[in-house]
Every structure is written in structure tokens, then in C-alpha cells.
Amino acid sequence: MILTEKPTVDFSAIVEEELAAAPFIDIHTHLFQPALGTLGLWGIDELITYHYLEAELFRSSSITPEKYFALSKGEKADAIWRALFVENTPVSEAARGVIAVLDAFGLPTGDLTEARQFFAAQKLDQHVDQVLKMSGVSEVVMTNDPLDPAEAPFWQAGIEPDRRFHPVLRLDRILNKWDWQGMAAQGYSVDAHGAGKSIDEARRFLANWTLRMKPVYMAVSLPDTFRFPEDSLRGKLIEHAVLPVCREFDLPLSLMIGVRYLVNPRLKLAGDAVGIADLRSLERLCADFPDNRYLVSVLARENQHELCVYARKFANLMPFGCWWFLNNPSIVEEMTRERLEMLGTSFVPQHSDARVLEQVIYKWRNTRRTIAPILARSYELLAQDGRVATREEIRRDIERLFRGNYQRWVKH
Ligand code: RAT
Ligand code: ZN
């Protein structure tokens, strides 16, 4: 029967080869260029104490969060290693990632001694090049907080741009915490209530930081309860400070929506959860501010289909990534198939969200592995429908998905 006839082209092989050869851009990470000093995390103990694994520790060990967080970095890593890698088999996505990194460097995967020696001997700058090469990533996008007392002074003193790392102006401390004291300390006339000149001053703050940092976009994570428009300080700041500065400097705004912050504060960074968001707020932003461009990731699986529908309605909306709790093969597969079916190649399939440099090795390997059969299947279906995609077309599609859509968005 014609409909079930196998295409003669081996799309799986072509897609795998093209995915392996394409240098991706990692459009959202928590990595830092070496010039930002100890903000940038790397090495085996950081990999093992990743907050995704800290959350898993307390399910497989009787240690309390209080006791755990009082330990030194090395002791924390030992506790996690024992619980998740020795006393249990590391089959979870985050645990497997550590094994994949050790293996990628040819290190033993059952003991940490050699790994600790190996990482201690690396020189950061060359190590960054090596890790990016191993990951098939040409550039990573950072998350830079102008109100972090540990980070802001670097930018205020001026740092050399690094072609491997692009800055992003992160807005959480302004939009979610209204850190007016931090802004006041930098010389802006803001007050605790966001009254008086506060909104204008926030706008001036963002414009000045844009000039200083030269970010590729601005970004904020938002709770599941996020609403827009809203008669709140956040609503006013978005409308009268963030969106106008984005327009003025032609920058996209990244919205990462659906976090339930600190549902278990004892777990610190690992204590956040997920909630279903009302994406009508996104509809209002896209419709009422058509001259702004948005990069959007939503955390709830239940919001993914809706996000695709909105992307079909609004050309100023670019869905990106399978964020945080979604970055597991089963869900990446489901989301990517849905996006390809609804949006063609007009989205950014993934970002790593890496917090520790070497994580990009396993995260991007996993992405290529999960996405290859999905893309191949799309070309098989297309062939069955009457059009055989060429290798050049497949290369073009991969380039668009993993570089071009982002580059067009940030105009880089
Ligand atoms: O995935 C993560 O590491 C989260 O903790 C968040 O940092 C999230 O990605 C964010 O950027 O807010
Ligand atoms: Zn992140």
C-alpha cells in the first residue's frame, strides 16, 4: 500500500549527521564567562551538587536539608554521590547526566577520586573551549543580574566581551522582588512602594544597564499567578519601563512563566515547583504591544499546547525550550512533536539551562538524541506525502531551529 511504503532515503542517518555537525546556540543558561570570576560554576563537585540532584537526595537519604546545607561543597557532593550513585543506580535524567559527563572525559564512572584530580588540573579558559566543542555548541547565553551584589561590580568596572558568552539582563529582582534598595544604592530615586518617580527611574535603570551590558535580550521568570495587564507594581513596571526600553533598544523580552516559588523553602534553590499559568496574559502582551518581541517558555506541561496556539496567532511570539521539569526525554519528545506539527520550524526547540559548565555536554547530547528520531519521522511522513526533503533542506531546518530563529529574534 502506497501510504505505508518506506521512503528509500535514510532520514535517521541524515538527521543524526546534520544534528551532530551543526553548532547550536544555547539560548538560556546560568553559565558565566570566565571574566565574571567565581560566579561561573564548573567541575565535578558542582555537577554533583546541582539543585536538580539536591531535590533527589532527600528522597533517597535520611539527611535533613538543614544538615545537608551546613556541609562543605565536597561533603555535599560526597553525600549525594553516596545516596544517588552508590546506594542507588543513577537512572534519573539529572543523575545520568553526571555519568555522561564523566564518561565523555574518559573518567571512571564509579568513583570520584580521579575525576576530582582531573578537574582540579584544568585551566578554565581552555576548558571552556573544550567543553563547548564537546557539546556542539558555539555560543551560550548567560543570565546576568544587575542587582546581584556579587555580579554588578564586574559590569560597573567594565568587562571585555567574550565571543562565547552573550549577556542577558535578568529582571527578577526588579519585577518579582522590587529590590528598590538595590536600585537606590546604585543612585536611582525609587521608593519601597514604587511611588513618585520610581517607574521612570526603573526605566532609566534598565536603559543604563542595557548600554553597559549590551544584552541580547531581557528576561524574567514569572509565577503561575502572573497576570497582565494588572494594577500592580509589576504590571506598571512591565508596561512603562520594561517594554518601552525593549522597544527603544530593539531587544526581545524573555518570559519564563509558571514557577511556584519556594513551595518547600527548606530546599532553597531546589524548593520551587510548577503551576498552570493563565496564558491570556501572554495574549494581551502580544496583542497590545505588537512592536515588542517575546521569547517564551512555560513550565507546566498543561500549558504547552496553548503556547503553540498563541504562537500561531502572534508572529511576535517565539516559543523556546523545554524548561526545567520538562527537560526529560519523554516530555521533550511530546513537546517537540507538537511544536513541529503546529509551527513547522518556527520555534527554538531547546536551551540547556546549565548551571555548571560541563552540563552542556550531557544536556545537548540528550537533546540531539531525543530530537533526531522526531525530526526524521517528520521527513518520513513528508516523503510519504509526496516530497522528499534533501540533505540541504534538512541542514537548513536544523540551522533555523538551533541558531537562526534565535539570531533573527535578537538581531545578532
Ligand atoms: O532550571 C533551573 O535551573 C531553575 O532553577 C531556574 O533557574 C530557571 O531556569 C530560571 O532561569 O529561573
Ligand atoms: Zn534558567
Side-chain angles (χ1 to χ4, degrees), residues 386-404:
R387 164 103 176 252
V388 179
T390 64
R391 182 182 280 272
E392 288 64 39
E393 285 171 332
I394 293 173
R395 184 174 301 160
R396 180 191 60 186
D397 293 347
I398 289 172
E399 202 279 335
R400 177 172 182 193
L401 288 165
F402 292 99
R403 293 187 73 83

Side-chain angles (χ1 to χ4, degrees), residues 237-261:
L237 285 164
I238 291 177
E239 184 168 349
H240 301 294
V242 176
L243 293 176
V245 178
C246 283
R247 286 193 298 272
E248 188 186 339
F249 292 91
D250 206 8
L251 294 177
L253 174 61
S254 168
L255 304 166
M256 306 173 77
I257 312 170
V259 187
R260 297 196 56 231
Y261 297 102

